[in-house]
Amino acid sequence: MTVSTTQRRSPLPIGLYASLLPPLIWMSLLYFAPIALLVSYSIWRLEAFDIVKEFSLTNFQVIFTNPAYRTVILRTLGTALGVTVIDILIALPLGYFIAKFSGRYRSLLTLLVILPLWSSYLVRVFAWKIILGYNGILNTALLSLGILKEPSQVFLYNQFSTMLTFVHVWLPFMVLPIITAFERLPNNLLEASADLNARPWTTFRRVTLPLVAPGVLAGSINVFALTMGDFITPSLVGSPSGIMLGNVISSQFGVAYNWPLGAAFALVVMLLVFSGLAIALKQGALESL
């Protein structure tokens, strides 16, 4: 009786629990606790420079009823989607070439894609100020070619310069998962499609694109999330009328000292990003990589 009871008892997985404890503490302190604090601030309100710790939806009411804030949200969403689409259009042919045709130079080309990530983010943004500025490289080249008679200011401090900088600085985050997706694409499927007399566009649309879609979605959520939360690029190369949600959040936590409203704006950004992430997860974007 004693032996059979002992055999039925399984030893407590103390080692398993012990191994889970460090990441649990790590996630609790650095992820769940800040989010809980952010949610708490978002439902408080500011009165006479004092934070009133009472439940209130005033901040969200302000965000969604103020036309200026709605414009900022739509501008940020449109910019993030535009940057994501442009990066997809650039990364698809580039990733296809690197994965399928680069041969022994694949590692070198992949390294060149990663290389900008090893430089400072600010350096890359300031590089575009040097290129697009009044006395920058682009104006100098156009003047030397006779296209312009005097330097132009249309290239910098507008929505064009903001999107161009975003497209460049976040492009590696789109290219890398697409390269991985193309490397996993079986060549025999492309050959079978060609044997069935399918045109290249038909093969791309019905064979290639569905199989690399998880990589495209994974890259898209990277670029979309990074653009949604950025406030440095619009500050350095954008116009004052082109501020984004990141700039509003920064100002609310800074000079405005309205932390509850800033937390509410941050939650709006998180909800938009999580919505995109939910779509990507539903399509199996992360499972296939």
Side-chain angles (χ1 to χ4, degrees), residues 17-32:
Y17 294 148
S19 64
L20 292 177
L21 192 58
L24 184 62
I25 295 174
W26 177 273
M27 290 291 292
S28 299
L29 293 178
L30 299 182
Y31 188 76
F32 296 115

Side-chain angles (χ1 to χ4, degrees), residues 93-235:
L94 182 60
Y96 183 67
F97 176 79
I98 293 175
K100 296 297 183 184
F101 300 105
S102 58
R104 59 178 179 174
Y105 298 105
R106 181 183 303 173
S107 300
L108 176 62
L109 294 176
T110 305
L111 180 64
L112 292 177
V113 172
I114 302 173
L115 198 58
L117 298 178
W118 295 349
S119 62
S120 170
Y121 171 83
L122 287 176
V123 169
R124 283 178 282 160
V125 176
F126 273 110
W128 280 107
K129 292 191 71 171
I130 297 173
I131 294 172
L132 302 174
Y134 186 78
N135 295 315
I137 297 172
L138 181 59
N139 269 315
T140 303
L142 293 177
L143 286 171
S144 62
L145 292 173
I147 298 175
L148 294 179
K149 294 183 179 178
E150 58 183 16
S152 175
Q153 297 181 348
V154 299
F155 305 119
L156 193 59
Y157 302 125
N158 50 42
Q159 191 66 14
F160 165 75
S161 57
T162 302
M163 290 197 65
L164 182 62
T165 305
F166 274 138
V167 167
H168 171 247
V169 297
W170 303 139
L171 185 60
F173 295 96
M174 179 68 77
V175 175
L176 292 177
I178 288 181
I179 291 176
T180 304
F182 274 120
E183 286 177 342
R184 296 185 177 185
L185 179 65
N187 290 325
N188 55 359
L189 292 181
L190 304 179
E191 295 169 357
S193 180
D195 292 341
L196 294 173
N197 295 323
R199 295 181 178 180
W201 170 248
T202 303
T203 300
F204 174 77
R205 182 170 55 86
R206 304 189 63 174
V207 179
T208 304
L209 193 56
L211 292 176
V212 301
V216 175
L217 285 172
S220 298
I221 197 64
N222 289 336
V223 174
F224 181 78
L226 290 169
T227 307
M228 286 291 295
D230 193 284
F231 66 95
I232 297 176
T233 293
S235 302

